[in-house]
């Protein structure tokens, strides 16, 4: 009996050691976040073991587990008509509120889900719930894009899927089919979906043949650049749940179908060193020392290598492709962007991506709302359903929907 108690005590101590993380005092629901992160880490380690044993790609296993867990949840959608469709070869899920007798046309949001271009789905309860609530709260038609994922396809296919689905929806006859007002359409997305939404908006703004364009773009903690992995937010939050720096770098490598051996070189910015000629012309577009306010820069210093590895850009030219890294777009493109909302979280490696994009858009003459949350973390907006329900999720979701309601 005594041995059993000793064993239980040891297991409890080991579990607490595995779960506990030193978090900033401002983070909301810290213990719940630690448990969520511990679960993520355990699942990811299992998936990487399966990958190492050559049984399956770790992202395929991880997505399978996410979808299996997701089936345990049920989300009511009695008041919203939810249908699946195909827009120019791309699967979408459409959320339509019931028609009201005195209205003619509805607002609309094209939504692109996050997940590192590799995980989740428009059909999972997390995004199903978000889009349903958006449709109800805004009385809007919401189109959720089911783009193909890594490792099935890599860049630029996710971008192409999102662009094709959006352009199809923007056709006058399609908008008429769904009773959508052509002048009241927003493009939106979170995390990697925010990346795709920004890239799609930039592409649409340059399409001279397009007759209908989005009124707004709304980007939720978007990932916008792979140029500098040592911005203040990357340094400050390198070990933060849910998205530590090494995980974000691996997502980029997977998106570009690159080699994990490059991870360390990317981490220390070898790919954009001063002697890498291909990167020189972009450096001024991502100078965080001038784009970030002092409250975000804090006491962090730039990490700029004098000599690096130009072969990284040769192997992965997409690292400097604006379709993948919208923050590197030229000013002429930024001037064409619609009114913009960007939500950022203090405890997120991607915080500065969003803040820098807001500043560059503002400098280009675009009206921008930067909605920053000091107590929130990456991915929080979709965590509103038990057992992954966070006060940060409700807080950010309400603020996001409020802005859309007031501006769309």
């Amino acid at each position: 009996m005594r041995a059993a108690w000793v064993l239980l005590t040891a297991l409890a101590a080991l579990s607490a050691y595995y779960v506990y993380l030193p978090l900033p005092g401002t983070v909301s629901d810290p213990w719940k976040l630690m448990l969520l992160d511990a679960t993520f880490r355990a699942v990811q380690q299992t998936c990487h073991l399966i990958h190492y044993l050559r049984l399956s790609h770790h992202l395929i296993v991880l997505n399978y587990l996410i979808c299996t867990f997701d089936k345990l949840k049920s989300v009511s959608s009695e008041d919203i008509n939810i249908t699946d469709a195909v827009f120019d070869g791309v699967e979408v899920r459409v959320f339509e509120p019931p028609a009201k007798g005195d209205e003619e046309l509805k607002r609309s949001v094209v939504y692109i889900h996050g997940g590192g271009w590799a995980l989740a789905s428009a059909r999972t309860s997390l995004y199903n719930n978000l889009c349903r609530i958006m449709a109800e709260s805004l009385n809007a038609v919401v189109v959720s894009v089911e783009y193909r994922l890594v490792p099935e396809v890599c860049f630029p296919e996710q971008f192409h899927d999102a662009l094709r689905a959006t352009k199809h929806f923007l056709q006058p006859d399609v908008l008429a089919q769904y009773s959508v007002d052509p002048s009241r359409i927003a493009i939106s997305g979170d995390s990697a979906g925010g990346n795709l939404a920004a890239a799609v908006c930039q592409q649409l703004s340059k399409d001279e043949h397009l007759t209908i364009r989005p009124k707004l773009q709304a980007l939720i903690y978007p990932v916008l650049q792979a140029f500098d992995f040592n911005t203040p937010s990357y340094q400050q939050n390198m070990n933060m749940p849910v998205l530590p720096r090494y995980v974000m770098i691996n997502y980029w490598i997977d998106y570009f179908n690159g080699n994990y051996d490059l991870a360390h070189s990317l981490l220390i910015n070898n790919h954009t060193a001063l002697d890498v000629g291909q990167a020189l012309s972009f450096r001024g577009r991502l100078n965080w020392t001038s784009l970030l306010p002092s409250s975000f820069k804090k006491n962090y210093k730039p990490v700029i290598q004098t000599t690096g590895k130009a072969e990284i850009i040769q192997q992965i030219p997409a690292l400097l492709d604006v379709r993948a890294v919208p923050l590197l777009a030229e000013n002429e493109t930024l001037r064409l962007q619609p009114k913009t909302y960007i939500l950022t979280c203090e405890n997120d490696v991607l915080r500065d991506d969003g803040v820098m994009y807001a500043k560059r858009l503002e400098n280009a003459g675009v009206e921008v709302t930067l909605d920053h949350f000091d107590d929130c973390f990456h991915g929080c907006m979709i965590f509103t359903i038990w057992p992954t329900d966070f006060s940060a999720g409700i807080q950010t979701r309400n603020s996001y929907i409020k802005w859309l309601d007031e501006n769309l």
Side-chain angles (χ1 to χ4, degrees), residues 7 41 128 148 151 179 202 207 271 286 303 314 336 347:
L7 180 60
R41 282 185 282 124
N128 211 70
R148 291 169 295 166
S179 300
Q202 290 183 6
D207 190 334
H271 61 303
L286 202 151
V303 176
Q314 294 167 3
L336 301 174
N347 307 293

Side-chain angles (χ1 to χ4, degrees), residues 89-123:
V90 181
E91 296 180 10
V92 298
R93 174 159 284 195
V94 183
F95 300 75
E96 296 177 86
K100 296 180 180 179
D102 59 342
E103 71 174 0
E104 295 182 2
L105 298 176
K106 288 184 170 64
R107 304 181 281 189
S108 184
V109 179
V110 176
Y111 195 86
I112 308 174
H113 72 80
W117 307 283
L119 304 174
S121 163
R123 298 184 176 93

Side-chain angles (χ1 to χ4, degrees), residues 80-308:
I80 298 295
N81 182 37
I82 302 177
T83 57
D84 292 325
V86 177
F87 286 1
D88 192 17
V90 181
E91 296 180 10
V92 298
R93 174 159 284 195
V94 183
F95 300 75
E96 296 177 86
K100 296 180 180 179
D102 59 342
E103 71 174 0
E104 295 182 2
L105 298 176
K106 288 184 170 64
R107 304 181 281 189
S108 184
V109 179
V110 176
Y111 195 86
I112 308 174
H113 72 80
W117 307 283
L119 304 174
S121 163
R123 298 184 176 93
T124 59
S125 63
L126 295 173
Y127 285 107
N128 211 70
N129 184 57
L130 172 62
C131 292
R132 177 183 60 82
I133 290 174
M134 288 168 59
E136 288 178 346
S137 302
L138 299 169
N139 189 36
V141 175
V142 177
V143 176
S144 188
V145 181
E146 184 79 327
Y147 57 90
R148 291 169 295 166
L149 303 174
V150 173
E152 176 193 353
V153 298
C154 298
F155 175 81
E157 297 310 315
Q158 286 84 349
F159 166 76
H160 286 155
D161 285 357
L163 180 62
R164 288 206 314 275
T166 303
K167 289 183 72 171
H168 178 87
F169 182 62
L170 292 177
Q171 294 179 96
D173 57 331
V174 178
L175 296 178
Q177 176 187 342
Y178 289 101
S179 300
V180 167
D181 185 340
S183 66
R184 304 179 75 188
I185 300 169
I187 309 295
S188 186
D190 65 296
S191 192
N195 167 282
L196 294 171
V200 165
C201 256
Q202 290 183 6
Q203 188 64 35
L204 293 177
S205 71
K206 296 183 287 187
D207 190 334
E208 297 177 355
H209 303 291
L210 205 63
T211 58
I212 298 171
R213 302 180 188 278
K215 178 183 181 182
L216 310 171
Q217 66 173 338
L219 313 177
I220 313 303
Y221 32 76
V223 48
L224 298 171
Q225 59 91 21
F227 192 93
D228 185 355
F229 292 109
N230 290 274
T231 62
S233 62
Y234 264 113
Q235 295 185 55
Q236 173 185 316
N237 300 302
M238 65 174 67
N239 295 315
M240 272 294 298
V242 162
L243 187 66
R245 178 168 60 173
Y246 77 92
V247 171
M248 189 63 247
I249 290 174
N250 284 341
Y251 277 139
W252 277 115
I253 291 172
D254 287 323
Y255 188 34
F256 295 146
N257 196 26
N259 191 318
Y260 291 128
D261 292 341
L262 298 176
H264 179 70
S265 285
L266 293 174
L267 187 148
I268 61 175
N269 291 343
N270 268 345
H271 61 303
T272 53
L274 294 177
D275 66 338
V276 178
Q278 303 97 313
L280 281 177
S281 61
F282 293 98
R283 185 167 297 281
R285 302 178 192 178
L286 202 151
N287 180 6
W288 60 258
T289 62
S290 61
L291 291 172
L292 295 179
S294 58
S295 58
F296 290 160
K297 288 187 287 189
K298 301 181 174 66
N299 293 318
Y300 293 103
K301 304 299 181 185
V303 176
I304 302 174
Q305 304 295 346
T306 304
T307 57

